[in-house]
Amino acid sequence: MVQYFLGQSVLRSSWGQVFPAFWQLYPNPYSKHVLTEDTVHREVTSDQKLLSRRLLTKMNRMPRWAERLFPANVAHSVYILEDSTVDPQNQTMTTFTWNINHTWLMVVEERCVYRVNSGNSGWTEIRREAWVSSSLFGVSRAVQEFALARFKSNMAKTMKDFEYILAKLQGEAPPKTLAETAKEAKEKAKETALAAPEKAKDLASKAATKQQQQQL
């Protein structure tokens, strides 16, 4: 049995901006699970299409029950092949990815098409399809549901990746990550707490001065 997922999203940047940003997504604070990326093949066809193949290494934590299925000497990193076709004439980019290890546990295939948004030529729409299959007896459904949930989570991270890189390429301040926002809030709260006694002392001093003036 194969689980299928279809999702669509929009980036408020032109295809001409999204296309170069795609090749600069990593490293990225939103996708620290992507460990490495290597281009193993690239060519320009006679009809001016760019064909590329990349090998990516990702590290994703498995659920506890799945951890027990892995022998102690087996690496938990996932190796993924990505084939892409860029058609500058029609302004489309199509990618197809699939894992090449741990296939005994699950196979996740993804197809993405990036094209100019039909409603706004300055935006880019992304159509994502995913197929998840597992032949693991007894727990295949649980594996598929977990893989789909992880896929959706990573899809959200990818959109954050794009927003972060596009902001940098366009000379804007990149959006802050949740960790950065939390750190700033913590530091601000600490500063407020440290300043509170001094502020209270100052208020008390002003109140005492005012009281003395009234008595006079």
Side-chain angles (χ1 to χ4, degrees):
M1 182 179 176
V2 178
Q3 291 275 6
Y4 174 74
F5 172 80
L6 171 63
Q8 298 193 47
S9 49
V10 173
L11 285 167
R12 296 188 177 187
S13 296
S14 68
W15 186 88
Q17 294 170 322
V18 172
F19 157 54
F22 174 79
W23 306 108
Q24 302 180 55
L25 284 182
Y26 312 114
N28 195 299
Y30 293 100
S31 291
K32 294 182 179 180
H33 66 291
V34 180
L35 305 179
T36 65
E37 57 164 334
D38 298 281
T39 301
V40 296
H41 177 75
R42 178 162 284 168
E43 67 172 293
V44 177
T45 63
S46 58
D47 55 352
Q48 300 304 303
K49 293 179 181 178
L50 176 65
L51 307 182
S52 303
R53 169 168 284 188
R54 294 195 299 176
L55 174 65
L56 298 99
T57 307
K58 298 184 179 182
M59 179 69 75
N60 281 326
R61 289 192 61 183
M62 299 294 293
R64 290 184 179 179
W65 59 264
E67 290 283 352
R68 294 193 292 269
L69 299 174
F70 283 81
N73 62 338
V74 174
H76 291 193
S77 54
V78 180
Y79 300 110
I80 296 172
L81 277 180
E82 173 199 85
D83 284 346
S84 62
T85 303
V86 178
D87 183 350
Q89 183 175 354
N90 295 309
Q91 292 189 305
T92 62
M93 177 169 63
T94 303
T95 64
F96 187 76
T97 61
W98 68 100
N99 60 298
I100 58 176
N101 67 329
H102 302 321
T103 54
W104 60 272
L105 178 62
M106 73 178 82
V107 175
V108 180
E109 299 171 298
E110 177 191 19
R111 182 176 184 269
C112 293
V113 179
Y114 301 75
R115 57 165 52 98
V116 178
N117 179 258
S118 57
N120 188 324
S121 60
W123 294 357
T124 303
E125 61 183 44
I126 308 172
R127 175 188 170 92
R128 299 178 184 275
E129 294 178 279
W131 297 264
V132 180
S133 59
S134 174
S135 56
L136 203 59
F137 181 75
V139 293
S140 61
R141 186 176 181 83
V143 169
Q144 290 173 332
E145 290 178 353
F146 170 79
L148 276 178
R150 176 58 57 82
F151 175 83
K152 293 176 183 178
S153 174
N154 288 344
M155 185 176 70
K157 290 178 182 178
T158 299
M159 296 302 292
K160 291 290 186 181
D161 291 341
F162 268 114
E163 292 171 1
Y164 182 87
I165 295 300
L166 284 165
K168 290 185 66 176
L169 292 178
Q170 295 168 22
E172 301 173 0
K176 295 177 182 178
T177 64
L178 289 176
E180 291 171 336
T181 303
K183 184 179 180 181
E184 288 186 1
K186 185 178 180 180
E187 290 176 349
K188 188 174 182 180
K190 185 177 180 180
E191 291 175 1
T192 302
L194 291 173
E198 292 297 325
K199 188 174 182 179
K201 187 186 295 183
D202 183 56
L203 290 173
S205 176
K206 288 180 179 179
T209 301
K210 186 176 181 180
Q211 186 176 10
Q212 290 175 355
Q213 291 175 344
Q214 289 176 343
Q215 290 175 349
L216 294 175

Coordinates of all heavy atoms in Angstrom, one line a residue, residues 115-184:
R115 N 6.7 26.9 -10.6 CA 6.3 27.6 -11.8 C 5.7 29.0 -11.4 O 5.4 29.2 -10.3 CB 5.3 26.8 -12.6 CG 4.0 26.5 -11.9 CD 2.9 26.0 -12.8 NE 3.3 25.0 -13.7 CZ 3.1 23.7 -13.6 NH1 2.4 23.3 -12.5 NH2 3.5 22.8 -14.5
V116 N 5.6 29.8 -12.4 CA 5.0 31.2 -12.2 C 3.6 31.1 -11.7 O 2.8 30.3 -12.3 CB 5.1 32.0 -13.5 CG1 4.5 33.4 -13.2 CG2 6.6 32.2 -13.9
N117 N 3.2 31.8 -10.7 CA 1.9 31.7 -10.2 C 0.9 32.3 -11.2 O 1.1 33.3 -11.8 CB 1.8 32.5 -8.9 CG 0.4 32.5 -8.3 OD1 -0.3 33.5 -8.4 ND2 0.0 31.5 -7.6
S118 N -0.2 31.5 -11.4 CA -1.2 31.9 -12.4 C -1.9 33.2 -12.1 O -2.4 33.9 -12.9 CB -2.2 30.8 -12.6 OG -2.8 30.4 -11.4
G119 N -2.0 33.5 -10.8 CA -2.7 34.7 -10.4 C -1.9 35.9 -10.2 O -2.4 37.1 -10.2
N120 N -0.5 35.7 -10.1 CA 0.4 36.9 -9.9 C 1.7 36.5 -10.5 O 2.4 35.6 -9.9 CB 0.5 37.2 -8.4 CG 1.3 38.5 -8.1 OD1 2.2 38.8 -8.8 ND2 0.9 39.2 -7.1
S121 N 2.1 37.1 -11.6 CA 3.4 36.7 -12.2 C 4.6 37.0 -11.4 O 5.7 36.5 -11.8 CB 3.4 37.5 -13.6 OG 3.4 38.9 -13.4
G122 N 4.5 37.8 -10.4 CA 5.6 38.1 -9.5 C 5.8 37.1 -8.4 O 6.7 37.2 -7.6
W123 N 4.9 36.1 -8.3 CA 5.0 35.1 -7.3 C 5.3 33.7 -8.0 O 5.2 33.5 -9.2 CB 3.7 34.9 -6.5 CG 3.3 36.1 -5.7 CD1 4.1 37.3 -5.5 CD2 2.1 36.3 -4.9 NE1 3.4 38.2 -4.7 CE2 2.2 37.6 -4.3 CE3 1.0 35.6 -4.7 CZ2 1.2 38.1 -3.5 CZ3 0.0 36.1 -3.9 CH2 0.1 37.3 -3.3
T124 N 5.7 32.8 -7.1 CA 6.0 31.4 -7.6 C 5.2 30.4 -6.8 O 5.2 30.4 -5.6 CB 7.5 31.1 -7.4 OG1 8.3 32.1 -8.0 CG2 7.9 29.7 -7.9
E125 N 4.6 29.5 -7.5 CA 3.8 28.5 -6.9 C 4.5 27.1 -6.9 O 5.3 26.9 -7.9 CB 2.4 28.3 -7.5 CG 2.4 27.9 -9.0 CD 1.0 27.8 -9.6 OE1 0.2 28.8 -9.3 OE2 0.8 26.8 -10.3
I126 N 4.4 26.4 -5.9 CA 5.0 25.1 -5.7 C 4.0 24.0 -5.6 O 3.2 24.0 -4.6 CB 6.0 25.1 -4.6 CG1 7.0 26.3 -4.6 CG2 6.8 23.8 -4.5 CD1 7.8 26.5 -3.4
R127 N 4.1 23.0 -6.4 CA 3.2 21.8 -6.3 C 4.0 20.7 -5.8 O 5.0 20.3 -6.5 CB 2.5 21.5 -7.6 CG 1.6 20.3 -7.6 CD 1.2 19.9 -9.0 NE 0.6 18.6 -9.1 CZ -0.7 18.4 -9.0 NH1 -1.6 19.4 -8.8 NH2 -1.2 17.1 -9.1
R128 N 3.7 20.1 -4.7 CA 4.4 19.0 -4.1 C 3.6 17.7 -4.1 O 2.4 17.7 -3.6 CB 4.9 19.3 -2.7 CG 5.8 20.5 -2.6 CD 6.1 20.8 -1.1 NE 6.9 22.0 -1.0 CZ 8.2 22.0 -1.1 NH1 8.9 20.9 -1.4 NH2 8.9 23.2 -1.0
E129 N 4.2 16.6 -4.5 CA 3.5 15.3 -4.4 C 4.5 14.4 -3.7 O 5.7 14.5 -4.0 CB 3.2 14.8 -5.8 CG 2.1 15.5 -6.6 CD 1.9 15.0 -8.0 OE1 2.7 15.3 -8.9 OE2 0.9 14.2 -8.1
A130 N 4.0 13.5 -2.9 CA 4.8 12.6 -2.2 C 4.2 11.2 -2.2 O 2.9 11.1 -2.1 CB 5.1 13.0 -0.8
W131 N 5.0 10.2 -2.3 CA 4.5 8.8 -2.2 C 5.4 8.1 -1.2 O 6.6 8.1 -1.2 CB 4.7 8.1 -3.6 CG 3.9 8.7 -4.7 CD1 2.7 8.3 -5.2 CD2 4.3 9.8 -5.5 NE1 2.3 9.0 -6.2 CE2 3.2 10.0 -6.5 CE3 5.4 10.6 -5.6 CZ2 3.3 11.0 -7.4 CZ3 5.4 11.6 -6.6 CH2 4.4 11.8 -7.5
V132 N 4.7 7.5 -0.2 CA 5.4 6.8 0.9 C 4.9 5.4 0.9 O 3.7 5.1 0.9 CB 5.0 7.5 2.3 CG1 5.8 6.7 3.4 CG2 5.4 8.9 2.3
S133 N 5.9 4.5 0.9 CA 5.6 3.0 0.9 C 6.5 2.3 1.9 O 7.6 2.8 2.2 CB 5.8 2.4 -0.5 OG 7.1 2.6 -0.9
S134 N 5.9 1.2 2.5 CA 6.7 0.4 3.4 C 6.2 -1.0 3.3 O 5.0 -1.3 3.2 CB 6.5 0.9 4.8 OG 7.1 0.1 5.8
S135 N 7.2 -1.9 3.3 CA 6.8 -3.3 3.2 C 7.1 -4.0 4.5 O 7.2 -5.3 4.6 CB 7.6 -4.0 2.1 OG 9.0 -3.8 2.2
L136 N 7.3 -3.2 5.6 CA 7.7 -3.8 6.9 C 6.4 -4.5 7.5 O 5.5 -3.8 7.8 CB 8.2 -2.7 7.8 CG 9.1 -3.1 9.0 CD1 10.3 -3.9 8.5 CD2 9.5 -1.9 9.8
F137 N 6.5 -5.7 7.7 CA 5.3 -6.5 8.1 C 4.9 -6.1 9.5 O 5.6 -5.9 10.4 CB 5.6 -8.0 8.1 CG 4.5 -8.9 8.5 CD1 3.4 -9.1 7.7 CD2 4.4 -9.4 9.8 CE1 2.3 -9.9 8.0 CE2 3.3 -10.2 10.2 CZ 2.3 -10.4 9.3
G138 N 3.6 -5.8 9.6 CA 3.0 -5.5 10.9 C 2.9 -4.0 11.3 O 2.1 -3.6 12.0
V139 N 3.9 -3.2 10.8 CA 3.9 -1.8 11.2 C 4.0 -0.9 10.0 O 4.4 0.3 10.1 CB 5.1 -1.6 12.1 CG1 5.0 -2.3 13.5 CG2 6.5 -2.0 11.5
S140 N 3.7 -1.4 8.8 CA 3.9 -0.6 7.6 C 3.0 0.7 7.7 O 3.4 1.8 7.2 CB 3.6 -1.4 6.4 OG 2.2 -1.9 6.4
R141 N 1.8 0.5 8.2 CA 0.9 1.7 8.2 C 1.4 2.8 9.2 O 1.4 4.0 8.9 CB -0.5 1.3 8.7 CG -1.5 2.4 8.6 CD -2.9 1.9 9.0 NE -3.9 3.0 8.9 CZ -4.5 3.4 7.8 NH1 -4.2 2.8 6.6 NH2 -5.4 4.3 7.8
A142 N 1.9 2.3 10.3 CA 2.5 3.3 11.3 C 3.7 4.0 10.7 O 3.9 5.2 10.9 CB 2.9 2.5 12.6
V143 N 4.5 3.2 10.0 CA 5.7 3.8 9.3 C 5.3 4.9 8.3 O 5.9 6.0 8.2 CB 6.6 2.7 8.7 CG1 7.6 3.3 7.8 CG2 7.2 1.8 9.7
Q144 N 4.3 4.5 7.5 CA 3.8 5.5 6.5 C 3.3 6.8 7.1 O 3.5 7.9 6.6 CB 2.8 4.8 5.6 CG 3.4 3.7 4.7 CD 2.3 2.9 4.0 OE1 1.1 2.8 4.5 NE2 2.6 2.4 2.8
E145 N 2.5 6.6 8.2 CA 1.9 7.8 8.8 C 2.9 8.7 9.4 O 2.9 9.9 9.3 CB 0.9 7.3 9.9 CG -0.4 6.7 9.3 CD -1.4 6.2 10.3 OE1 -1.0 6.2 11.5 OE2 -2.5 5.8 10.0
F146 N 4.0 8.0 10.0 CA 5.1 8.8 10.6 C 5.8 9.5 9.5 O 6.2 10.7 9.6 CB 6.0 7.9 11.3 CG 7.3 8.6 11.7 CD1 7.3 9.4 12.8 CD2 8.5 8.4 11.0 CE1 8.5 10.0 13.2 CE2 9.6 9.0 11.3 CZ 9.7 9.8 12.5
A147 N 6.1 8.8 8.4 CA 6.8 9.4 7.3 C 6.1 10.6 6.7 O 6.7 11.7 6.3 CB 7.1 8.4 6.2
L148 N 4.8 10.5 6.5 CA 4.0 11.6 6.0 C 4.0 12.8 6.9 O 4.1 14.0 6.5 CB 2.5 11.2 5.7 CG 2.3 10.5 4.4 CD1 0.8 10.0 4.3 CD2 2.6 11.4 3.2
A149 N 3.9 12.5 8.2 CA 3.9 13.6 9.2 C 5.3 14.3 9.2 O 5.3 15.6 9.2 CB 3.6 13.1 10.6
R150 N 6.3 13.6 9.0 CA 7.7 14.2 9.0 C 7.8 14.9 7.6 O 8.5 16.0 7.6 CB 8.7 13.0 9.1 CG 10.2 13.5 8.9 CD 10.6 14.5 9.9 NE 10.4 14.1 11.3 CZ 11.3 13.4 11.9 NH1 12.4 12.9 11.3 NH2 11.1 13.0 13.2
F151 N 7.3 14.4 6.6 CA 7.3 15.1 5.3 C 6.7 16.5 5.3 O 7.2 17.5 4.9 CB 6.7 14.2 4.2 CG 6.6 14.9 2.9 CD1 7.7 14.9 2.0 CD2 5.4 15.5 2.5 CE1 7.6 15.5 0.8 CE2 5.4 16.2 1.2 CZ 6.5 16.1 0.4
K152 N 5.5 16.5 6.0 CA 4.8 17.8 6.1 C 5.5 18.8 6.9 O 5.6 20.0 6.6 CB 3.4 17.5 6.7 CG 2.5 16.7 5.8 CD 1.1 16.4 6.5 CE 0.2 15.6 5.6 NZ -1.0 15.2 6.3
S153 N 6.2 18.3 8.0 CA 7.0 19.1 8.8 C 8.2 19.7 8.1 O 8.5 20.9 8.1 CB 7.5 18.4 10.1 OG 8.4 19.1 10.8
N154 N 8.8 18.9 7.3 CA 10.0 19.3 6.5 C 9.6 20.2 5.4 O 10.3 21.1 5.0 CB 10.7 18.1 5.9 CG 11.5 17.3 7.0 OD1 11.7 17.8 8.1 ND2 11.9 16.1 6.7
M155 N 8.4 20.1 4.9 CA 7.8 21.0 3.8 C 7.7 22.4 4.4 O 8.1 23.3 3.7 CB 6.5 20.4 3.3 CG 5.9 21.2 2.2 SD 4.4 20.5 1.5 CE 3.3 20.9 2.9
A156 N 7.2 22.5 5.6 CA 7.1 23.8 6.2 C 8.5 24.4 6.5 O 8.7 25.6 6.3 CB 6.4 23.7 7.6
K157 N 9.5 23.6 6.8 CA 10.8 24.1 7.0 C 11.4 24.6 5.7 O 12.1 25.6 5.7 CB 11.7 23.0 7.6 CG 11.4 22.6 9.0 CD 12.3 21.5 9.5 CE 12.0 21.1 10.9 NZ 12.8 19.9 11.4
T158 N 11.1 23.9 4.6 CA 11.6 24.3 3.3 C 11.1 25.7 2.9 O 11.8 26.5 2.4 CB 11.2 23.3 2.2 OG1 11.8 22.0 2.6 CG2 11.7 23.7 0.8
M159 N 9.8 25.9 3.2 CA 9.3 27.3 2.9 C 10.0 28.3 3.7 O 10.3 29.4 3.3 CB 7.8 27.3 3.2 CG 7.0 26.4 2.3 SD 7.2 26.7 0.6 CE 6.3 28.3 0.5
K160 N 10.3 28.0 5.0 CA 11.1 28.9 5.8 C 12.5 29.1 5.3 O 13.1 30.2 5.3 CB 11.2 28.4 7.3 CG 9.9 28.4 8.0 CD 9.5 29.9 8.3 CE 8.2 29.9 9.2 NZ 7.8 31.3 9.5
D161 N 13.1 28.0 4.7 CA 14.4 28.1 4.1 C 14.4 29.1 3.0 O 15.3 29.9 2.9 CB 14.8 26.7 3.5 CG 15.1 25.6 4.6 OD1 15.3 26.0 5.7 OD2 15.0 24.5 4.3
F162 N 13.4 29.0 2.1 CA 13.3 29.9 1.0 C 13.1 31.3 1.4 O 13.8 32.2 0.9 CB 12.1 29.5 0.1 CG 12.4 28.5 -1.0 CD1 11.9 27.2 -1.0 CD2 13.2 28.9 -2.1 CE1 12.2 26.3 -2.0 CE2 13.5 28.0 -3.1 CZ 13.0 26.8 -3.1
E163 N 12.3 31.6 2.4 CA 12.0 32.9 2.9 C 13.3 33.5 3.4 O 13.7 34.7 3.2 CB 10.9 32.9 3.9 CG 9.6 32.6 3.4 CD 8.5 32.4 4.5 OE1 8.9 32.5 5.7 OE2 7.4 32.1 4.1
Y164 N 14.1 32.7 4.1 CA 15.3 33.1 4.8 C 16.4 33.5 3.7 O 17.0 34.5 3.7 CB 15.9 32.0 5.6 CG 17.2 32.3 6.4 CD1 17.1 33.0 7.6 CD2 18.4 32.0 5.8 CE1 18.3 33.3 8.3 CE2 19.6 32.3 6.5 CZ 19.5 32.9 7.7 OH 20.7 33.2 8.4
I165 N 16.6 32.6 2.7 CA 17.6 32.8 1.7 C 17.1 33.9 0.7 O 18.0 34.7 0.3 CB 17.8 31.5 0.9 CG1 18.4 30.4 1.8 CG2 18.7 31.7 -0.3 CD1 19.7 30.8 2.4
L166 N 15.9 34.0 0.4 CA 15.4 35.0 -0.5 C 15.6 36.4 0.1 O 16.0 37.4 -0.5 CB 13.9 34.8 -0.8 CG 13.6 33.7 -1.9 CD1 12.2 33.4 -1.9 CD2 14.1 34.2 -3.3
A167 N 15.4 36.5 1.4 CA 15.6 37.8 2.1 C 17.1 38.2 2.1 O 17.4 39.3 1.8 CB 15.1 37.7 3.6
K168 N 18.0 37.2 2.2 CA 19.4 37.5 2.2 C 19.8 37.9 0.8 O 20.6 38.9 0.6 CB 20.2 36.3 2.6 CG 20.1 35.9 4.1 CD 21.0 34.8 4.4 CE 22.5 35.1 4.3 NZ 23.4 34.0 4.8
L169 N 19.3 37.2 -0.2 CA 19.7 37.5 -1.6 C 19.1 38.9 -2.0 O 19.7 39.6 -2.9 CB 19.1 36.5 -2.6 CG 19.8 35.1 -2.5 CD1 19.1 34.1 -3.4 CD2 21.3 35.1 -2.7
Q170 N 18.0 39.3 -1.5 CA 17.4 40.6 -1.8 C 17.9 41.7 -0.9 O 17.3 42.8 -0.9 CB 15.9 40.4 -1.8 CG 15.4 39.5 -2.8 CD 13.9 39.1 -2.7 OE1 13.2 39.8 -2.0 NE2 13.5 38.0 -3.2
G171 N 18.9 41.4 0.0 CA 19.4 42.5 0.8 C 18.5 42.9 2.0 O 18.7 43.9 2.6
E172 N 17.6 42.0 2.3 CA 16.7 42.3 3.5 C 17.2 41.5 4.7 O 18.0 40.6 4.6 CB 15.3 41.9 3.1 CG 14.7 42.6 1.9 CD 13.4 42.1 1.5 OE1 12.9 41.2 2.2 OE2 12.8 42.5 0.5
A173 N 16.7 41.9 5.8 CA 17.0 41.2 7.1 C 16.3 39.9 7.1 O 15.0 39.8 7.0 CB 16.6 42.0 8.3
P174 N 17.0 38.7 7.2 CA 16.3 37.4 7.2 C 15.4 37.3 8.4 O 15.6 37.9 9.4 CB 17.4 36.4 7.3 CG 18.7 37.2 6.9 CD 18.4 38.6 7.3
P175 N 14.2 36.6 8.2 CA 13.3 36.4 9.3 C 14.0 35.6 10.4 O 14.8 34.7 10.2 CB 12.2 35.6 8.7 CG 12.8 34.9 7.5 CD 13.8 35.9 7.0
K176 N 13.7 35.9 11.7 CA 14.4 35.3 12.8 C 13.7 33.9 13.1 O 12.5 33.7 12.9 CB 14.3 36.2 14.1 CG 15.0 37.5 13.9 CD 14.8 38.3 15.2 CE 15.5 39.7 15.0 NZ 15.3 40.5 16.2
T177 N 14.6 33.0 13.5 CA 14.1 31.7 13.8 C 13.4 31.7 15.2 O 13.6 32.7 16.0 CB 15.2 30.6 13.9 OG1 16.1 31.0 14.9 CG2 16.0 30.6 12.6
L178 N 12.6 30.7 15.5 CA 12.0 30.6 16.8 C 13.0 30.6 17.9 O 12.8 31.2 19.0 CB 11.1 29.4 16.9 CG 9.8 29.4 16.0 CD1 9.1 28.0 16.2 CD2 8.9 30.5 16.5
A179 N 14.1 29.9 17.7 CA 15.2 29.9 18.7 C 15.8 31.3 19.0 O 16.0 31.7 20.1 CB 16.3 28.9 18.3
E180 N 16.0 32.0 17.9 CA 16.5 33.4 18.0 C 15.5 34.3 18.7 O 15.9 35.1 19.6 CB 16.9 33.9 16.6 CG 18.1 33.2 16.0 CD 18.2 33.7 14.5 OE1 17.3 34.1 13.9 OE2 19.4 33.5 14.0
T181 N 14.3 34.2 18.4 CA 13.2 35.0 19.0 C 13.1 34.7 20.5 O 13.0 35.6 21.3 CB 11.9 34.7 18.3 OG1 12.0 35.0 16.9 CG2 10.8 35.6 18.9
A182 N 13.2 33.4 20.8 CA 13.1 32.9 22.2 C 14.3 33.4 23.0 O 14.2 33.9 24.2 CB 13.0 31.4 22.3
K183 N 15.5 33.4 22.4 CA 16.7 33.9 23.1 C 16.6 35.4 23.4 O 17.0 35.8 24.4 CB 17.9 33.6 22.2 CG 19.2 33.9 22.8 CD 20.4 33.6 22.0 CE 21.7 33.9 22.6 NZ 22.9 33.6 21.7
E184 N 16.1 36.1 22.4 CA 16.0 37.6 22.6 C 15.0 37.9 23.7 O 15.2 38.8 24.5 CB 15.6 38.2 21.3 CG 16.7 38.3 20.2 CD 16.3 39.1 19.0 OE1 15.1 39.6 19.0 OE2 17.1 39.2 18.0

